[in-house]
Amino acid sequence: MHPRTTEKIAFLDSEIAGLRTRIGSGGNSIQRAKLKMLRDIREDYQKSIDVAARREQGEAE
């Protein structure tokens, strides 16, 4: 896992929150697509953290 993955996730969380605020209850298709893309990227980073944690846990046992 890249050592800055948690920082990247925090950055994505703030970007997602800001975009949600700007979109509000409407938004356009580009904003909604960007929000989906950011969520997908964040999910991928979270999965890499989860895999690394399972790997470390397996090595510790």
Side-chain angles (χ1 to χ4, degrees):
M1 177 178 75
H2 191 276
R4 296 184 56 170
T5 302
T6 54
E7 292 174 23
K8 291 177 182 182
I9 288 177
F11 172 78
L12 287 167
D13 285 343
S14 66
E15 287 293 307
I16 290 168
L19 187 55
R20 280 186 186 149
T21 300
R22 287 190 298 278
I23 290 174
S25 61
N28 60 42
S29 61
I30 294 171
Q31 289 172 317
R32 289 188 297 273
K34 182 177 180 179
L35 183 60
K36 182 184 180 326
M37 178 191 66
L38 291 173
R39 286 179 180 161
D40 290 346
I41 293 168
R42 191 215 181 278
E43 183 178 314
D44 288 344
Y45 278 127
Q46 186 61 53
K47 285 179 184 176
S48 70
I49 287 175
D50 295 344
V51 166
R54 283 194 299 271
R55 188 177 305 131
E56 287 176 12
Q57 193 175 39
E59 292 173 1
E61 292 177 3

